[in-house]
Amino acid sequence: MDKVLFLFQNTVLNRRCVEAAVMTGLALNCSINKKSLFDRKHYFYADLPAGYQITQQRVPIAVNGSLSYSLCIDNKMSQMVTKTVRIKQIQLEQDSGKSLHDDTRSQTLVDLNRAGVGLMEVVMEPDMCCGEEAAAAVRELQLILQTLGSSQAVMAEGQLRVDANVSVHHPGEPYGVRTEVKNINSIRFLAKAVDYEIQRQIEELENGGTILNETRAFDSKLGCTVPMRDKEGKQDYRFMPEPNLPPLILYDAKSLPANLNHQQVVNIDWIHERLPDLPSVKRAKLVEQYGILPEHSFTLLNEDGLTEFFENVVKQTQMKPKKVIGWILKDLLSYLKQHSLTVKESPVSSFLLADLLNLLEKKEISSTAAKQVLAELWKGEEKTPLEIVKEKKLELIQDQKELEQICQAVIDGQENEVMAIKAGNRKVLNKLIGLVQRETQGRSNPVLVKQLLEKKLSQ
Amino acid sequence: MRALRLGRWLRTAPGAARGAGEGRLPLRVPPARAVPTAPVVSPAWVPPRPAWQDGQQRPAPQQKVTVEVLDHLENLALVDFRDAEGVERLQKAVQFADQLHEVNTDGVEPMDSVLEDRCLYLREDDVTEGNCTNELLKNAREKVEEYFVAPPGNIPLPKLEERDTFLQGF
């Protein structure tokens, strides 16, 4: 929606807003209202020059949906459960301005650039019971919005904002009085804010206090919620039907009018057919196509661009996807995390990683050597893995005789261990393998070394 | 087309609105053209003048506006009714609006707007104006960079008993 501030020209709805809301509604399994209405919500605040906000209170654009999300139990990736939160409604609104509170100078700075811009509000039912669940649900919603292109959904930028309504109650009793927590600007803080607020309310009630229906702000530095003084007390928004906006009418294939300007037609069926694969479908496809674990598919989708990176590596290497995923998640991802880099900023391209994994797959280097090469590749010096292997002399010893000699030397030097192995303690063999590896500086194939040692020891 | 139906109802059965209510007011219809003594049914559905005037029979005040309501309104709208005259004016406005209750709307679906049978115009997502930051910021009494400067959040009106207002003795 757009509005020229202070001139109070009639508000005109942007078609793209409607399409984005319909798309989101369909992705969240909502029923789309073919006729939805606009309302005025009145309140005084510096970020709302008109004194009212146009919203959809009575008949919003989409209702009765659901969102499925997964979360891990006890932080174990291998123990994931899927939960569902009901979506009450999706409504179109006008955004307000952005306020920056300057406490030291005791003033509020208001940026009205986004005031009047279309905003989509997703209202969820109280189906979540802790901060982790709220965070996981919002994360899934964020991925869906990004997949649909209805929002870039970066919380720190205010592209996705979350107000958390929190109440506590004993099982079997009605919901307690709820508070609304605002000012949450990351998913991590959402989990913290909700958990803090639950704990605060429980303590308040157990100490004989009462919970006020109030708006609170999350203070990320202190990790707690504080009442917002200027929003205390019960609000009376004095809703009324928006007199300037007629109902928003949407069409489907059946109701499509023949003679209406196509720019004025939003066709629900047309949008439905063009919905992209949602994150849950993408994950299922990854699991099926590459044989990776479900939890790995979550990690792939969680990092922007990681799925594409993984798929590119798989395309360019003979290594099995199941093995590739280990290198992607354990090596690539942990390196990127350590250095706070995004996948796009990775100094190692999918092409270089594939090259390296091919050397490993062709048994030209050991996996220990491959890690060494990777460590060199992170430096981003534009050397190919093969060049690094040559330079550092990391190739596996292909000469069997040479390897046999080294094995023999290790056996001769470790009488006690050899005795132990011969007495039946097979575990000690690993120590000998390790010694051979050390002797060859990781340039020997452990499987081959094991075979050679076993052969020699059985003689 | 509910407006039309309501209009027809107003024209054909104005008495129905009165029902058995004795003190209720018949809907007054403006005289057609310049015939002062022969009121005829006009196609205009909204009377051009208030339906009652001082000195005439008027509906009894439904309810006196309480001090709580006055306090609430002052808080919501940040207005000050100031004196007895202000409150009287409000009382009259409420009373005037209360006449709407005289109309029997049983079974009539509410009409939000006369535009409700139209559909909303949608515009394309094209930028047609902008780059007028300086022009808009001229409206600011005080600004910092490109921000409007406002007080630190809303300052709620003090509680009624702490407020210097006429309402205290009301």
Side-chain angles (χ1 to χ4, degrees), chain B residues 42-170:
Chain B
S42 151
W45 305 314
V46 182
R49 279 174 283 121
W52 53 263
Q53 283 160 358
D54 282 336
Q56 284 190 326
Q57 184 192 26
R58 64 169 75 175
Q62 299 271 315
Q63 243 176 350
K64 216 166 159 5
V65 182
T66 62
V67 70
E68 286 78 24
V69 170
L70 288 166
D71 180 41
H72 183 59
L73 289 175
E74 287 200 347
N75 268 291
L76 276 180
L78 299 177
V79 291
D80 184 354
F81 291 111
R82 210 167 285 146
D83 50 25
E85 200 191 332
V87 174
E88 176 65 17
R89 200 178 299 127
L90 174 75
Q91 187 92 41
K92 277 185 180 167
V94 172
Q95 211 173 331
F96 181 70
D98 269 347
Q99 289 179 101
L100 290 172
H101 295 299
E102 299 292 306
V103 183
N104 181 354
T105 53
D106 288 352
V108 180
E109 204 184 315
M111 182 177 71
D112 300 333
S113 150
V114 289
L115 301 174
E116 68 174 16
D117 290 330
R118 307 253 201 101
C119 62
L120 188 56
Y121 173 79
L122 301 177
R123 73 166 175 85
E124 286 303 299
D125 190 20
D126 298 328
V127 178
T128 53
E129 58 191 334
N131 294 325
C132 47
T133 314
N134 291 333
E135 199 64 30
L136 287 173
L137 281 171
K138 280 182 192 165
N139 289 307
R141 183 179 291 177
E142 204 185 327
K143 59 175 184 174
V144 170
E145 290 164 20
E146 296 195 341
Y147 294 96
F148 288 78
V149 177
N154 275 1
I155 302 161
L157 277 185
K159 294 231 164 65
L160 183 59
E161 51 274 20
E162 296 156 13
R163 202 154 81 219
D164 181 22
T165 166
F166 151 80
L167 291 185
Q168 275 186 14
F170 194 72

Side-chain angles (χ1 to χ4, degrees), chain B residues 14-22 24 102:
Chain B
R18 270 176 291 169
E22 275 310 298
R24 293 197 181 177
E102 299 292 306

Side-chain angles (χ1 to χ4, degrees), chain A residues 104-163:
Chain A
T104 48
R105 256 167 258 165
S106 183
Q107 60 187 16
T108 303
L109 304 183
V110 185
D111 173 1
L112 291 175
N113 273 304
R114 66 174 204 205
V117 171
L119 177 106
M120 175 172 65
E121 180 158 319
V122 178
V123 185
M124 295 178 181
E125 299 280 7
D127 295 340
M128 293 164 285
C129 57
C130 64
E132 276 311 311
E133 286 191 19
V138 168
R139 176 65 184 135
E140 188 69 11
L141 177 64
Q142 187 179 39
L143 282 174
I144 290 174
L145 295 175
Q146 287 165 345
T147 305
L148 296 174
S150 39
S151 171
Q152 287 168 293
V154 178
M155 281 187 78
E157 305 275 332
Q159 295 160 345
L160 172 68
R161 278 165 265 157
V162 180
D163 296 340

Side-chain angles (χ1 to χ4, degrees), chain A residues 385-439:
Chain A
L386 193 60
E387 280 166 1
I388 296 169
V389 166
K390 291 260 161 70
E391 201 177 290
K392 302 239 157 196
K393 298 200 170 49
L394 294 170
E395 311 96 320
L396 283 182
I397 299 167
Q398 304 292 346
D399 183 347
Q400 180 122 354
K401 283 237 170 74
E402 190 188 342
L403 205 52
E404 272 185 47
Q405 278 167 10
I406 296 169
C407 287
Q408 193 58 54
V410 166
I411 288 172
D412 293 346
Q414 307 291 326
E415 275 176 36
N416 289 344
E417 280 74 9
V418 172
M419 298 259 283
I421 294 167
K422 289 197 168 161
N425 190 349
R426 307 290 299 171
K427 278 184 193 164
V428 182
L429 188 61
N430 288 334
K431 189 181 173 189
L432 295 189
I433 298 171
L435 286 169
V436 175
Q437 286 282 36
R438 195 198 291 173
E439 201 63 32

